[in-house]
Amino acid sequence: SLYTQQSVLPQVYAAGFTREDVFLETMIPCGAVDHPAPMNASEAEAYIAADLEQLNTSYVDLLAIHHRCNTPEETALVWSVLEAARKRGAARSIGVSNFEAADLKHLLTVAKEPIAVNEAHFAVGVMDWEMGALSRVPPLP
């Protein structure tokens, strides 16, 4: 949330640390869970800019898509925005969250930059064994 993100770095500084001492992650919404409307590139860019402004930093260590988007094509479009953010230094690494194996497989066909992480949903009785097997895929060159 806005108030949580704005309070992160002041607390880091108050504890005697610098921005470089911490690993900052933020996510942009996508898909039925947290952004049911179709996402476009300019809106994804606006979310990234707002997150950087709220965090009062020029970069994050990890920028991720919070959920798969409404379609594979929309996910690919948003991923390309994250790739651009990585290339310009706004994100050191990029990844996804809550993607299932099929979502990740599709993204791997279009990704030009490495997918650093999938913060996969795992819980007692809710295991995506296919995702576990997929995680052994070698990274992109």
Side-chain angles (χ1 to χ4, degrees):
S1 83
L2 170 64
Y3 300 108
T4 302
Q5 290 199 130
Q6 285 182 333
S7 68
V8 170
L9 284 181
Q11 292 179 39
V12 167
Y13 300 144
F17 296 103
T18 67
R19 162 64 186 95
E20 293 73 24
D21 292 327
V22 297
F23 185 95
L24 281 180
E25 174 189 4
T26 193
M27 296 186 201
I28 63 169
C30 211
V33 174
D34 52 13
H35 193 280
M39 178 75 76
N40 60 48
S42 62
E43 189 173 10
E45 285 285 2
Y47 274 109
I48 294 168
D51 283 347
L52 292 173
E53 181 180 341
Q54 291 166 20
L55 288 164
N56 193 26
T57 186
S58 62
Y59 73 96
V60 291
D61 297 287
L62 175 62
L63 174 63
I65 302 172
H66 190 221
H67 290 94
R68 70 176 178 245
C69 300
N70 296 306
T71 66
E73 296 77 20
E74 187 180 334
T75 299
L77 172 73
V78 172
W79 181 256
S80 71
V81 173
L82 269 65
E83 289 179 328
R86 182 174 184 265
K87 285 182 181 177
R88 71 175 177 268
R92 288 194 169 168
S93 57
I94 53 178
V96 297
S97 179
N98 299 304
F99 276 42
E100 295 176 359
D103 308 320
L104 202 53
K105 283 179 184 177
H106 180 269
L107 187 55
L108 285 168
T109 68
V110 297
K112 295 179 180 95
E113 296 286 326
I115 302 168
V117 66
N118 176 23
E119 293 181 349
H121 179 84
F122 288 104
V124 175
V126 182
M127 299 297 289
D128 185 348
W129 298 108
E130 186 179 2
M131 180 59 72
L134 184 60
S135 68
R136 292 181 200 61
V137 173
L140 294 170

